[in-house]
Amino acid sequence: MAGGDLPPENKNTGGTLDMERIKELARAIVFALVGYRPQHVTPEMWDREYRDGQWEYLRKMDSIAGLVSILGYCDFLKPASILDAGCGEGLLAEKLKLLPYKSYLGMDVSREAIALATQNLGDARSQFVVADAWLFDTPERFDVIVFNQSLYYLTDPAGILKKYRALLNPGGRIIVSMVDNARTRAVWRLIDPVFGIEDAMTTTQGKGTVVTKVMRTD
Ligand SMILES: C[S@@+](CC[C@H](N)C(=O)[O-])C[C@H]1O[C@@H](n2cnc3c(N)ncnc32)[C@H](O)[C@@H]1O
């Protein structure tokens, strides 16, 4: 699967040190030596993966940890407006519909994902748009901006968060959620010192561990 670091490192298929664990160890060494590198996936590859249903496995019960932690933070923060950066086919949007937000905008570079999300989840409160995260711009401002399992596909994670901080309403929050592995630990090392952490939640379930943080934006 081109989508790379998912499923998470924690999967253990044999009980012995399998190939995944060796690759993960190699990645940790590379990131420690040369610094963070994003997982490189082209928009065409994303389109193919969504068309082929390769992300369907995230709909199972053992993959709810990250979604539930973001839903919990949003339930607490009560945002009227939400931007979901790298929303994919709308797994988070589906969960967030429980909340009384006024507007939700999902943005993703994959046309295929956005077509699926629009068809299945688009409504008067919820819209989806195709855009590259670095090129995306809007006059709208948001109470919460979420990067759910999308930040580690982007170059310069601290730079992109600074760009999106400018799209927040006063008092708005950025929520970042990532599966725990060598690459995402390298991302946290870059963004934690720049933004600081208002709160963090770590959830572990069958498929692995997900870390979700509300970043300081003041
Ligand atoms: C692992 S998927 C997560 C999707 C969704 N957030 C979820 O949790 O189901 C990563 C998503 O990031 C999107 N993405 C990757 N690079 C992007 C970019 N430069 N701009 C916008 N979206 C991007 C991909 O198309 C993909 O849908």
Side-chain angles (χ1 to χ4, degrees), residues 6-194:
L6 289 172
E9 60 177 341
N10 308 53
K11 71 173 180 180
N12 185 347
T13 49
T16 53
L17 196 63
D18 60 15
M19 240 1 244
E20 270 309 308
R21 283 171 188 274
I22 294 169
K23 279 191 206 161
E24 181 63 8
L25 188 61
R27 281 190 207 112
I29 293 167
V30 169
F31 296 136
L33 290 175
V34 301
Y36 164 72
R37 293 288 181 278
Q39 175 80 32
H40 183 67
V41 185
T42 65
E44 294 71 30
M45 288 157 84
W46 283 117
D47 282 345
R48 197 163 51 243
E49 293 195 356
Y50 282 113
R51 207 162 32 240
D52 294 350
Q54 287 189 34
W55 293 93
E56 280 300 309
Y57 75 98
L58 290 178
R59 294 185 181 280
K60 294 188 182 156
M61 187 164 64
D62 61 4
S63 294
I64 61 172
L67 299 173
V68 167
S69 58
I70 298 168
L71 179 62
Y73 279 129
C74 286
D75 181 49
F76 180 86
L77 292 167
K78 307 209 177 328
S81 50
I82 302 171
L83 172 65
D84 186 357
C87 65
E89 56 189 318
L91 288 186
L92 179 62
E94 210 175 310
K95 301 284 176 284
L96 292 177
K97 274 186 187 286
L98 294 169
L99 302 180
Y101 62 80
K102 288 207 173 79
S103 71
Y104 163 100
L105 180 62
M107 175 269 289
D108 200 285
V109 75
S110 165
R111 290 184 181 282
E112 195 72 33
I114 291 300
L116 286 167
T118 304
Q119 183 186 317
N120 297 327
L121 299 161
D123 61 24
R125 298 192 301 162
S126 320
Q127 294 190 319
F128 297 88
V129 61
V130 179
D132 182 285
W134 278 107
L135 303 176
F136 174 76
D137 199 11
T138 174
E140 278 182 65
R141 293 297 176 262
F142 305 91
D143 296 329
V144 162
I145 298 178
V146 183
F147 286 81
N148 180 35
Q149 307 298 345
S150 53
L151 196 55
Y152 49 91
Y153 294 99
L154 303 174
T155 54
D156 187 8
I160 196 98
L161 291 194
K162 282 182 192 163
K163 169 184 157 84
Y164 281 82
R165 182 168 57 187
L167 299 184
L168 285 173
N169 282 320
R173 310 296 213 291
I174 292 180
I175 300 176
V176 178
S177 187
M178 301 191 285
V179 62
D180 182 45
N181 62 33
R183 191 187 309 273
T184 60
R185 270 174 241 136
V187 174
W188 293 125
R189 284 198 292 276
L190 289 174
I191 65 174
D192 285 354
V194 176

